[in-house]
């Protein structure tokens, strides 16, 4: 195992080096949180694929293949479908908004009344996503070094927190790109063909396993439908995913790069299911399906290759963990803490008169102030990543049931935020009161049903979405329409005019014209004249 250990140690050292290099590029808030909104198609598609394909997609995807055969690909497949839908229909509009969080988007659309509650919901989701990713280190480091669970979580978590805190999104982008390459080589190019060959080829696999292992819906139609609701829709609204969209340097990069990443996810889904199916042939009596990945890597791969594939699994976990961590810290700082400070500032006596008496600062002085503000914002976000990272490590050590925690996070996210977010993009008649009612009713319905029926039940997300939609439509229709000035500013941002220039689109005044709103989502370039 000495060679395998060397591969892993070099990989981890490289991650820290990337973090240090990224720190030198993170000079402003935009650099730190969204990589300066400068990523091209290659970097964007690679890092987007890395963030959505984590430990659950790799270790869990192989485990589902072990348990259900080829239909075990559906969980990761629905993640890819969600990313494709986001990229084709919504990413260009999202990128044009030039915001940092989902809650900021809701504030723009509804006039500043929906952000705080949505911020709390999104913060809870990203926190639990980071926690569940961090717990996965225990499995990998146990296979690698036979390390204690707590020590494994501390080691893996500390490395992610270190490079994320140093360089923010630049560090995470660089490390994710490396992780994407390692994951592609380790899982798709090495483990997949070796596993199939070790199992005797597809003909031998089909001869030794039941027919349902090769049925498209062997996992169950209802399970597939639930995956679509939770994971496909979750891809449309998650802060960790949107924050990657914000890194694109333009509409075309967001759309085409995201489409490439979504297509890659579909291939990755099938690969994981095939590897799991091969593992079922080789090791038919494992104690848990989730042991399939570690077992086939440990027993079927040669020295050196084994280390690279385990590094690929570590890459999958780290990419999701770091993306969730910076999303959690961004929401905590910009959507929650900033609002608390704003409320406190309004209650203090204003110092505006004193500033006016001193006269306007000169150009050079104003520039110095701007630089100082940017530095403070970078430092503030860096502190929040460190604090959230420490909280994630502590919670991960204390938490045992990963599946329930992740299901809870996704259910609350989709049940509470899907309708007001998509409603804001598609329906001009939606109001702030309707959005708040939708978040509250949908979230409470999901939580209540999970308490009564169980966290893993399918019904909470079904009824939660229905309740959220009914509340949104009913309350929106029962309240005054959104202020026309707010809608005009919203349309300007969607059209790529962040200065709020007048909207020259004559149909924009028809607030109830839902068909036009849908057309803008489906073909944004044809409406705005942008590439």
């Amino acid at each position: 195992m000495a060679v395998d250990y060397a591969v892993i140690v070099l990989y981890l050292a490289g991650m820290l080096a990337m973090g240090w290099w990224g720190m030198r590029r993170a000079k402003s808030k935009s650099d730190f949180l969204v990589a300066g909104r400068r990523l091209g198609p290659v970097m964007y598609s690679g890092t987007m694929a890395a963030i959505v394909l984590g430990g659950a997609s790799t270790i869990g995807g192989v485990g589902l293949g072990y348990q259900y055969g080829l239909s075990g690909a559906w969980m990761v497949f629905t993640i890819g479908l969600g990313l494709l839908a986001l990229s084709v229909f919504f990413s260009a509009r999202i990128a044009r908004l030039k915001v940092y969080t989902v809650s900021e988007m809701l504030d723009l659309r509804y006039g500043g009344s929906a952000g705080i509650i949505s911020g709390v919901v999104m913060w809870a989701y990203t926190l639990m996503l980071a926690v569940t990713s961090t717990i996965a280190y225990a499995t990998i480091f146990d296979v690698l070094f036979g390390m204690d669970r707590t020590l494994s979580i501390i080691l893996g978590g500390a490395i992610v927190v270190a490079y994320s805190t140093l360089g923010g999104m630049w560090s995470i982008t660089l490390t994710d790109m490396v992780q994407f390459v390692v994951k592609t080589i380790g899982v798709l190019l090495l483990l997949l063909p070796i596993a199939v060959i070790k199992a005797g080829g597809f003909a031998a696999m089909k001869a030794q396993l039941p027919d349902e292992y090769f049925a498209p819906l062997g996992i169950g139609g209802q399970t597939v439908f639930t995956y679509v609701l939770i994971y496909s829709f979750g891809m449309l609204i998650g802060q960790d995913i949107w924050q990657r969209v914000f890194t694109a340097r333009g509409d075309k990069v967001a759309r085409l790069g995201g489409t490439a990443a979504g297509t890659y996810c579909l291939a990755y889904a099938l690969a994981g299911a095939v590897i799991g199916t091969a593992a079922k042939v080789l090791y038919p009596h494992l104690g848990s399906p989730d042991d399939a990945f570690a077992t086939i890597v440990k027993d079927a791969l040669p020295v050196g290759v084994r280390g690279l594939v385990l590094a690929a699994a570590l890459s999958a976990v780290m990419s999701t963990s770091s993306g969730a961590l910076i999303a959690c810290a961004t929401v905590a700082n910009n959507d929650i803490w900033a609002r608390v400070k704003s409320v406190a500032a309004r209650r203090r006596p204003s110092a505006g008169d004193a500033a006016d008496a001193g006269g306007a600062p000169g150009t050079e002085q104003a520039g110095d102030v701007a630089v100082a503000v940017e530095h403070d914002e970078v430092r503030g976000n860096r502190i929040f990543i460190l604090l959230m990272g420490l909280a994630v490590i502590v919670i991960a050590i204390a938490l045992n049931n990963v599946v329930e925690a992740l299901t809870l996070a996704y259910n609350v996210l989709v049940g509470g935020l899907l309708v007001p977010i998509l409603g804001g993009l598609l329906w001009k008649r939606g109001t702030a009161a309707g959005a708040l009612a939708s978040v509250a009713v949908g979230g409470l319905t999901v939580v209540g049903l999970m308490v009564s029926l169980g966290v893993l039940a399918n019904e909470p997300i079904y009824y939660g979405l229905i309740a959220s939609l009914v509340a949104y439509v009913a309350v929106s229709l029962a309240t005054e329409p959104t202020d026309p000035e707010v809608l005009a500013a919203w349309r300007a941002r969607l059209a790529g005019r962040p200065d709020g220039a007048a909207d020259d689109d004559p149909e924009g005044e028809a607030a109830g014209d839902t068909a036009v709103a849908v057309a803008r989502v489906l073909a944004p370039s044809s409406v705005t004249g942008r590439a």
Side-chain angles (χ1 to χ4, degrees), residues 81 96 166 177 231 241 286 333 362 398 414 438:
L81 292 177
R96 289 182 206 141
L166 285 172
M177 198 63 201
Y231 297 113
I241 309 302
L286 292 179
N333 188 18
V414 175
S438 178

Side-chain angles (χ1 to χ4, degrees), residues 185-221:
I185 296 173
V187 175
L188 294 184
L189 301 183
L190 293 177
L191 182 57
L192 175 61
I194 290 174
V196 172
I197 292 170
K198 289 281 186 179
F202 285 104
M205 291 164 59
K206 194 163 186 180
Q208 295 183 53
L209 294 173
D211 291 341
E212 56 263 27
Y213 264 71
F214 302 91
L217 295 177
I219 198 171

Side-chain angles (χ1 to χ4, degrees), residues 14 20 26 53 76 99 101 118 135 154 161 202 250 260 287 293 308 318 324 329 347-348 412 432 438 512:
W20 183 261
L53 296 174
V76 183
V99 296
T101 68
S118 64
I135 291 173
I154 292 173
V161 171
F202 285 104
F293 180 86
L308 184 59
M318 282 187 162
R347 292 179 178 175
R348 290 197 296 266
V412 172
S438 178

Side-chain angles (χ1 to χ4, degrees), residues 170-242:
W170 267 122
S171 293
I172 292 171
T173 296
L174 294 170
T175 54
D176 277 2
M177 198 63 201
V178 173
Q179 289 159 357
F180 170 74
V181 173
V182 172
K183 197 165 13 183
T184 301
I185 296 173
V187 175
L188 294 184
L189 301 183
L190 293 177
L191 182 57
L192 175 61
I194 290 174
V196 172
I197 292 170
K198 289 281 186 179
F202 285 104
M205 291 164 59
K206 194 163 186 180
Q208 295 183 53
L209 294 173
D211 291 341
E212 56 263 27
Y213 264 71
F214 302 91
L217 295 177
I219 198 171
Q222 187 179 28
T223 299
V224 174
F225 182 62
T226 303
Y227 283 161
V228 170
L229 290 182
I230 295 177
Y231 297 113
S232 295
F233 287 147
M235 289 296 105
L236 297 180
I237 59 175
Q239 169 67 26
D240 51 326
I241 309 302
W242 277 43

Side-chain angles (χ1 to χ4, degrees), residues 140-379:
I140 297 172
F141 282 111
D142 177 55
V143 173
L144 287 173
F145 309 114
M147 194 176 290
D148 174 73
R149 177 183 185 275
T150 299
L151 186 59
S152 298
I153 290 173
I154 292 173
L155 175 60
I159 293 171
V160 169
V161 171
Y163 73 68
S164 300
T165 302
L166 285 172
M169 187 59 83
W170 267 122
S171 293
I172 292 171
T173 296
L174 294 170
T175 54
D176 277 2
M177 198 63 201
V178 173
Q179 289 159 357
F180 170 74
V181 173
V182 172
K183 197 165 13 183
T184 301
I185 296 173
V187 175
L188 294 184
L189 301 183
L190 293 177
L191 182 57
L192 175 61
I194 290 174
V196 172
I197 292 170
K198 289 281 186 179
F202 285 104
M205 291 164 59
K206 194 163 186 180
Q208 295 183 53
L209 294 173
D211 291 341
E212 56 263 27
Y213 264 71
F214 302 91
L217 295 177
I219 198 171
Q222 187 179 28
T223 299
V224 174
F225 182 62
T226 303
Y227 283 161
V228 170
L229 290 182
I230 295 177
Y231 297 113
S232 295
F233 287 147
M235 289 296 105
L236 297 180
I237 59 175
Q239 169 67 26
D240 51 326
I241 309 302
W242 277 43
Q243 200 156 343
R244 295 311 173 97
V245 176
F246 300 149
T247 66
R249 71 180 176 209
D251 299 358
K252 190 174 181 180
V253 170
R255 188 183 301 114
L256 297 183
T259 301
T263 304
Y264 177 89
C265 291
L266 303 183
Y268 199 88
L270 185 59
V274 171
I275 293 168
T277 304
K280 183 67 175 179
V281 173
L282 295 170
Y283 317 103
H285 304 297
L286 292 179
S288 169
D290 287 338
D291 293 336
F293 180 86
T295 302
I296 197 169
V297 168
K298 192 173 183 179
D299 294 346
L301 299 184
V303 172
V305 173
R306 181 170 50 203
L308 184 59
V309 173
L310 287 172
L314 197 58
S315 298
V317 175
M318 282 187 162
S319 58
T320 300
S321 181
S322 59
L325 177 59
I326 194 172
C328 178
T330 302
V331 171
N333 188 18
N334 292 271
D335 292 336
I336 300 176
W337 177 241
R339 294 170 193 272
V340 172
K341 288 197 301 182
S342 178
V343 171
R346 285 199 296 268
R347 292 179 178 175
R348 290 197 296 266
S350 173
D353 294 339
D356 292 341
T363 304
E364 183 177 348
Q365 185 179 0
D368 292 340
V369 171
V371 171
V373 169
E374 287 285 4
H375 178 72
D376 287 344
E377 287 182 330
V378 171
R379 182 177 62 182

Side-chain angles (χ1 to χ4, degrees), residues 454-511:
V455 174
L456 300 180
N458 292 323
E459 289 80 6
I461 191 62
Y462 298 164
Y463 295 116
L465 279 173
I466 293 172
S468 180
L469 178 61
V470 170
Y472 181 71
V473 173
V475 175
S476 292
L477 292 176
T479 53
E480 291 293 324
T482 304
D483 189 328
E485 292 185 3
V486 172
L487 286 177
W490 166 252
R491 288 195 298 271
R493 293 291 284 264
L494 285 178
R497 296 189 297 272
D499 57 352
D503 190 349
D504 57 3
D505 187 355
E507 55 76 31
E509 297 300 320

